[in-house]
Amino acid sequence: RTQVTPIGGGPQTDVLVGDLAMWSGDLVLFVPGLGTEDLPIGTQVTTLGVAPAHAGTTQATYALGYASPRTLVNASGITALLGDTEDGQAVRWFAVGEDLAQAMAAVADAAGHPLRDLKGTVDGMWPGVEVEVRDSDGGPLTRCRPDAEGMFLCRAPAVASSVAALWVGSGHGEAGGAGQSGPAQDIGEEGVSIALPALTPARVHVQASDEDGAPLPVRFTARRSAPEHSDERRFAVETGTADLLLPAGDYDLWLSHGPYFDLHHEAQTLAPGQEITIQASLRQLVDTSGWLSADFHVHAEHSTDSDTPLGRRIAGAAIEGVDAFALTDHDFVTDLTPWWEASPSRDRVHVFTSAEISTTNYGHWNVWPLTPDPELAGQGAPAWFDLEPPELLELLRASSPDGLVQLNHPRFGGAGYFD
């Protein structure tokens, strides 16, 4: 909700309006002509898009368009767009859809910034392949999704220079799992017919169990063994069984379940389209009877310093053998209940609703359990502004009378209480 009220009454047309672009989880920012990383601050933009980094996720694709340019600024590590109003009103367009190029084209048309049509085909199309449009420096401008026959129509900015077939991963990847990209092809002057090769991955069937044969949540790690490839891909196999996709190549492959179990390792050479099965039974090496493992300082996508989707936090705890954790997003009470109820690990992992109180002068503090209140800022996170330490501790203890207060990283520069 945005409401601009002139101070002192009367009309006021010189109002600065800002949009904060906070994307996290599996999402990637697209700014036409600027790419997605190391964005030049101070540049003016009229269109931006946000899309999942992996296929098959539940994250939404959306785009924003503006009638007049917005200036890109950095607000404490968060991208912000600032611009003047028009006749006392700030005009913006917002589109949500499955295809990033369609969403960006919709808001660009509405804002009066026409785009260029690029048509073509992806040979040997298979699910998960998209087409990425790039500028002359190789920076991504937008992505579009071909149909089942591989036909695509991308509407892109005039600065579009090349296109490439892009496999955006299986949706299971936790790190480095964003698929692979084929060779870029120049668009040329006409830019009407573009043929791209398909990217055929290998398929890995994972089956993991404990010594009794029960399914075991595991982390599947795939590391390229060739010197020219240093990427590592990690996947959460929450139910112990999964079908995963990997680019062809030579790999070292591991299955693991936290620090108390042994490891399974094998080397494999994967050819395009090949299918293999990795089956392992992991032994528990440390007796944890009578003990619980817990983590009381955990961030997810509601924190600006985390790109982990909410549901994946539960999967991550299960595959590492963590029995309980407190989700402590910065100044935000995140309720994981819907994700926990839908998780196959709900009988393995207990979650506390918490928040990290991130003061600028007196360190960072966790307090739990907390009850989220959607009518309040930060869903009811304790408001620490202008409080001295005794008042701060009184507030935190009152926020959870029967709960716990925790001091985080006590010696950590400006974020450490004892500093």
Side-chain angles (χ1 to χ4, degrees):
R1 304 176 189 141
T2 302
Q3 182 177 2
V4 179
T5 304
I7 297 176
Q12 181 176 342
T13 58
D14 186 17
V15 177
L16 190 66
V17 175
D19 286 341
L20 289 177
M22 300 180 67
W23 65 98
S24 190
D26 274 338
L27 298 177
V28 179
L29 179 69
F30 286 81
V31 182
L34 300 179
T36 62
E37 297 180 356
D38 299 324
L39 298 175
I41 300 304
T43 301
Q44 291 194 323
V45 301
T46 57
T47 308
L48 62 82
V50 178
H54 300 87
T57 70
T58 58
Q59 302 283 353
T61 294
Y62 64 91
L64 286 169
Y66 302 91
S68 58
R70 291 286 192 265
T71 301
L72 199 67
V73 299
N74 186 323
S76 300
I78 303 171
T79 300
L81 297 165
L82 301 180
D84 296 329
T85 62
E86 297 179 355
D87 299 326
Q89 293 185 346
V91 182
R92 70 170 71 85
W93 289 267
F94 182 68
V96 181
E98 292 185 354
D99 186 279
L100 174 67
Q102 290 180 0
M104 293 182 69
V107 296
D109 286 346
H113 306 293
L115 302 179
R116 178 184 186 184
D117 286 345
L118 303 175
K119 300 179 182 179
T121 58
V122 175
D123 297 331
M125 175 66 186
W126 57 275
V129 172
E130 295 188 358
V131 173
E132 184 173 80
V133 184
R134 301 172 180 174
D135 60 22
S136 58
D137 295 325
L141 299 174
T142 188
R143 283 199 321 238
C144 61
R145 186 173 300 168
D147 61 21
E149 286 71 41
M151 301 292 295
F152 66 85
L153 170 61
C154 280
R155 302 194 60 203
V159 295
S161 177
S162 65
V163 291
L166 176 72
W167 168 46
V168 292
S170 66
H172 294 275
E174 286 192 299
Q180 60 182 325
S181 175
Q185 183 173 324
D186 291 338
I187 293 172
E189 291 296 328
E190 67 286 349
V192 289
S193 182
I194 305 163
L196 298 171
L199 302 166
T200 305
R203 187 178 298 272
V204 181
H205 306 285
V206 175
Q207 299 175 1
S209 62
D210 59 19
E211 295 174 88
D212 298 324
L216 186 68
V218 292
R219 183 182 302 281
F220 174 69
T221 302
R223 181 181 300 157
R224 297 278 191 108
S225 52
E228 64 270 21
H229 295 291
S230 59
D231 60 317
E232 179 177 285
R233 300 159 191 262
R234 298 193 298 273
F235 301 85
V237 184
E238 193 172 2
T239 62
T241 303
D243 291 333
L244 306 174
L245 302 176
L246 288 173
D250 297 325
Y251 286 92
D252 283 308
L253 306 175
W254 287 272
L255 294 178
S256 62
H257 179 73
Y260 311 130
F261 282 69
D262 63 0
L263 296 168
H264 174 83
H265 168 260
E266 60 184 80
Q268 289 280 358
T269 297
L270 303 178
Q274 181 183 4
E275 293 192 27
I276 68 168
T277 298
I278 297 180
Q279 188 171 10
S281 176
L282 302 185
R283 295 181 302 121
Q284 184 169 351
L285 305 179
V286 177
D287 183 7
T288 57
S289 302
W291 293 86
L292 292 175
S293 63
D295 190 341
F296 298 130
H297 190 176
V298 177
H299 294 315
E301 59 185 288
H302 287 163
S303 292
T304 58
D305 57 354
S306 173
D307 59 3
T308 302
L310 294 173
R312 194 168 294 160
R313 271 301 178 215
I314 301 172
I319 66 177
E320 295 296 348
V322 175
D323 300 304
F325 71 92
L327 187 58
T328 58
D329 283 325
H330 290 285
D331 298 304
F332 196 95
V333 183
T334 300
D335 184 6
L336 266 182
T337 301
W339 287 267
W340 180 83
E341 290 178 343
S343 170
S345 300
R346 59 185 178 273
D347 293 332
R348 291 180 175 269
V349 179
H350 182 79
V351 180
F352 300 100
T353 301
S354 179
E356 182 173 17
I357 313 309
S358 310
T359 78
T360 55
N361 295 321
Y362 302 118
H364 292 180
W365 306 75
N366 293 346
V367 54
W368 74 86
L370 294 174
T371 301
D373 186 343
E375 295 300 316
L376 297 177
Q379 295 211 125
W384 49 263
F385 317 104
D386 296 328
L387 297 182
E388 294 294 322
E391 300 168 312
L392 174 65
L393 283 171
E394 182 179 355
L395 169 67
L396 299 184
R397 290 166 179 156
S399 300
S400 185
D402 298 323
L404 291 172
V405 175
Q406 170 178 309
L407 171 61
N408 297 334
H409 40 70
R411 296 171 181 83
F412 194 58
Y417 177 74
F418 292 131
D419 292 316

